[in-house]
Coordinates of all heavy atoms in Angstrom, one line a residue:
G1 N -49.0 14.8 -69.9 CA -49.7 14.2 -68.8 C -49.0 14.0 -67.6 O -49.5 13.4 -66.6
L2 N -47.7 14.5 -67.5 CA -46.8 14.4 -66.3 C -46.7 15.7 -65.6 O -46.2 16.7 -66.1 CB -45.5 13.9 -66.8 CG -44.6 13.2 -65.7 CD1 -45.3 12.0 -65.2 CD2 -43.3 12.8 -66.3
T3 N -47.1 15.7 -64.3 CA -46.8 17.0 -63.5 C -45.8 16.6 -62.5 O -45.9 15.6 -61.8 CB -48.2 17.4 -62.8 OG1 -49.1 17.6 -63.8 CG2 -47.9 18.6 -61.9
V4 N -44.8 17.4 -62.3 CA -43.7 17.2 -61.4 C -43.7 18.2 -60.2 O -43.7 19.4 -60.5 CB -42.3 17.2 -62.1 CG1 -41.3 17.0 -61.1 CG2 -42.3 16.3 -63.2
H5 N -43.9 17.6 -58.9 CA -43.9 18.5 -57.8 C -42.5 18.3 -57.1 O -42.0 17.3 -56.8 CB -44.9 18.0 -56.8 CG -44.9 18.9 -55.5 ND1 -44.1 18.7 -54.5 CD2 -45.8 19.9 -55.2 CE1 -44.4 19.6 -53.5 NE2 -45.4 20.3 -53.9
T6 N -41.8 19.5 -57.0 CA -40.4 19.5 -56.4 C -40.4 20.1 -55.0 O -41.0 21.2 -54.8 CB -39.5 20.3 -57.4 OG1 -39.6 19.8 -58.7 CG2 -38.1 20.2 -56.9
G7 N -39.8 19.3 -54.2 CA -39.6 19.9 -52.8 C -40.0 18.8 -51.7 O -41.0 18.0 -51.9
R8 N -39.3 18.8 -50.6 CA -39.7 17.9 -49.5 C -41.0 18.3 -48.9 O -41.3 19.5 -48.8 CB -38.6 17.8 -48.5 CG -37.2 17.5 -49.1 CD -36.1 17.3 -48.1 NE -34.9 17.2 -48.7 CZ -34.4 16.0 -49.2 NH1 -35.1 14.9 -49.2 NH2 -33.2 15.9 -49.8
M9 N -41.8 17.3 -48.5 CA -43.1 17.6 -47.9 C -43.2 16.8 -46.6 O -42.8 15.7 -46.5 CB -44.2 17.2 -48.8 CG -44.3 18.1 -50.1 SD -45.8 17.6 -51.1 CE -45.0 16.1 -51.8
E10 N -44.0 17.4 -45.6 CA -44.5 16.7 -44.5 C -45.8 16.0 -44.8 O -46.4 16.2 -45.9 CB -44.7 17.6 -43.3 CG -43.4 18.4 -42.9 CD -42.4 17.5 -42.4 OE1 -42.7 16.4 -41.8 OE2 -41.1 17.8 -42.6
A11 N -46.1 15.1 -43.9 CA -47.3 14.2 -44.1 C -48.6 15.0 -44.5 O -49.3 14.7 -45.3 CB -47.6 13.2 -42.9
E12 N -48.7 16.1 -43.8 CA -49.9 17.0 -44.0 C -50.0 17.6 -45.5 O -51.0 17.5 -46.2 CB -50.0 18.1 -43.0 CG -50.3 17.7 -41.6 CD -51.8 17.2 -41.4 OE1 -52.5 17.6 -42.2 OE2 -52.0 16.5 -40.5
E13 N -48.8 18.0 -45.9 CA -48.7 18.5 -47.3 C -48.9 17.4 -48.3 O -49.6 17.6 -49.3 CB -47.3 19.1 -47.4 CG -47.0 20.3 -46.6 CD -45.6 20.8 -46.7 OE1 -44.7 20.0 -46.2 OE2 -45.4 21.9 -47.2
M14 N -48.4 16.2 -48.1 CA -48.6 15.1 -48.9 C -50.1 14.8 -49.0 O -50.7 14.5 -50.1 CB -47.9 13.8 -48.5 CG -46.3 14.0 -48.5 SD -45.6 12.5 -47.8 CE -43.8 12.9 -48.0
A15 N -50.8 14.7 -47.8 CA -52.2 14.4 -47.9 C -53.0 15.3 -48.7 O -53.9 14.9 -49.4 CB -52.7 14.3 -46.4
A16 N -52.7 16.6 -48.7 CA -53.4 17.6 -49.4 C -53.1 17.4 -50.9 O -54.0 17.6 -51.8 CB -52.9 19.0 -49.0
L17 N -52.0 17.0 -51.3 CA -51.6 16.8 -52.7 C -52.3 15.5 -53.1 O -52.7 15.4 -54.3 CB -50.1 16.7 -52.9 CG -49.6 16.5 -54.3 CD1 -48.3 17.3 -54.5 CD2 -49.4 15.0 -54.6
L18 N -52.5 14.5 -52.2 CA -53.2 13.2 -52.6 C -54.7 13.4 -52.8 O -55.2 12.4 -53.3 CB -52.7 12.3 -51.6 CG -51.3 11.7 -51.6 CD1 -51.0 11.0 -50.3 CD2 -51.2 10.7 -52.8
A19 N -55.3 14.4 -52.3 CA -56.7 14.5 -52.4 C -57.3 14.2 -53.8 O -56.9 14.8 -54.7 CB -57.2 15.9 -51.9
G20 N -58.2 13.2 -53.9 CA -58.7 12.9 -55.2 C -58.0 11.9 -56.0 O -58.5 11.5 -57.1
A21 N -56.8 11.4 -55.5 CA -55.9 10.6 -56.3 C -56.6 9.1 -56.4 O -57.3 8.8 -55.3 CB -54.6 10.5 -55.8
A22 N -56.4 8.4 -57.5 CA -56.9 7.0 -57.5 C -56.0 6.0 -56.8 O -56.4 5.0 -56.2 CB -57.1 6.6 -58.9
L23 N -54.7 6.4 -56.8 CA -53.7 5.5 -56.3 C -52.4 6.1 -56.0 O -52.1 7.2 -56.8 CB -53.4 4.3 -57.1 CG -52.4 3.2 -56.7 CD1 -53.0 2.4 -55.5 CD2 -52.2 2.2 -57.9
C24 N -51.7 5.9 -55.0 CA -50.3 6.4 -54.7 C -49.4 5.3 -54.8 O -49.6 4.2 -54.1 CB -50.3 7.0 -53.3 SG -48.6 7.6 -52.8
V25 N -48.2 5.6 -55.4 CA -47.1 4.6 -55.4 C -45.9 5.2 -54.8 O -45.5 6.2 -55.2 CB -46.7 4.2 -56.9 CG1 -45.6 3.1 -56.9 CG2 -48.0 3.6 -57.6
D26 N -45.4 4.6 -53.7 CA -44.2 5.0 -53.0 C -43.0 4.3 -53.8 O -42.8 3.2 -53.4 CB -44.3 4.6 -51.5 CG -43.0 4.9 -50.8 OD1 -42.1 5.5 -51.4 OD2 -42.9 4.5 -49.7
A27 N -42.3 5.0 -54.6 CA -41.2 4.5 -55.3 C -39.9 5.2 -54.8 O -38.9 5.3 -55.6 CB -41.4 4.6 -56.8
T28 N -40.0 5.6 -53.6 CA -38.7 6.2 -53.0 C -37.6 5.1 -52.7 O -37.8 3.9 -52.9 CB -39.0 6.9 -51.7 OG1 -39.6 6.0 -50.7 CG2 -40.0 8.1 -51.9
H29 N -36.5 5.6 -52.4 CA -35.3 4.7 -52.2 C -35.6 3.8 -51.2 O -36.2 4.1 -50.1 CB -34.1 5.6 -52.0 CG -32.8 4.8 -52.1 ND1 -32.2 4.1 -51.1 CD2 -31.9 4.7 -53.2 CE1 -31.1 3.6 -51.5 NE2 -30.9 3.9 -52.7
P30 N -35.0 2.5 -51.3 CA -35.2 1.6 -50.1 C -34.8 2.0 -48.8 O -35.2 1.5 -47.8 CB -34.4 0.4 -50.6 CG -34.3 0.5 -52.1 CD -34.3 2.0 -52.4
Y31 N -33.9 3.0 -48.7 CA -33.4 3.5 -47.4 C -34.2 4.8 -46.9 O -33.8 5.3 -45.8 CB -31.9 3.8 -47.5 CG -31.1 2.6 -47.6 CD1 -30.9 1.9 -48.8 CD2 -30.4 2.0 -46.4 CE1 -30.2 0.7 -48.8 CE2 -29.6 0.9 -46.4 CZ -29.5 0.2 -47.7 OH -28.7 -0.9 -47.7
A32 N -35.1 5.2 -47.7 CA -35.9 6.4 -47.3 C -37.0 6.1 -46.3 O -38.2 6.2 -46.7 CB -36.4 7.1 -48.6
R33 N -36.7 5.6 -45.1 CA -37.7 5.0 -44.2 C -38.6 6.1 -43.8 O -39.8 5.9 -43.9 CB -37.0 4.4 -43.0 CG -37.9 3.9 -41.9 CD -37.2 3.1 -40.9 NE -36.1 3.8 -40.3 CZ -35.2 3.3 -39.5 NH1 -35.3 2.0 -39.2 NH2 -34.2 4.0 -39.0
Q34 N -38.1 7.3 -43.4 CA -39.0 8.4 -42.9 C -39.9 8.8 -43.9 O -41.1 9.1 -43.6 CB -38.1 9.5 -42.3 CG -38.9 10.6 -41.6 CD -39.7 10.0 -40.5 OE1 -39.1 9.4 -39.6 NE2 -41.0 10.1 -40.4
A35 N -39.4 9.0 -45.2 CA -40.3 9.5 -46.3 C -41.4 8.4 -46.5 O -42.5 8.8 -46.6 CB -39.5 9.5 -47.5
S36 N -41.1 7.2 -46.4 CA -42.1 6.1 -46.6 C -43.1 6.1 -45.5 O -44.4 6.0 -45.9 CB -41.5 4.8 -46.7 OG -40.8 4.5 -48.0
E37 N -42.8 6.4 -44.4 CA -43.8 6.5 -43.3 C -44.6 7.6 -43.5 O -45.7 7.6 -43.2 CB -43.0 6.5 -41.8 CG -42.2 5.2 -41.6 CD -41.4 5.3 -40.2 OE1 -41.3 6.4 -39.7 OE2 -40.9 4.4 -39.8

């Protein structure tokens, strides 16, 4: 049930991956400001 996507992504790539998702959880490191944005 677990799919792992490896690699850094820009916002556009993230949006494509998120299509159809019920919910997104940003569990990145507290200092990962750019990634969270």
Side-chain angles (χ1 to χ4, degrees):
L2 200 63
T3 300
V4 180
H5 180 282
T6 306
R8 303 183 190 279
M9 293 182 284
E10 298 299 328
E12 291 288 337
E13 297 171 290
M14 292 177 179
L17 183 143
L18 284 163
L23 181 65
C24 173
V25 179
D26 173 9
T28 57
H29 195 273
Y31 288 78
R33 179 170 53 188
Q34 188 59 58
S36 286
E37 291 177 356

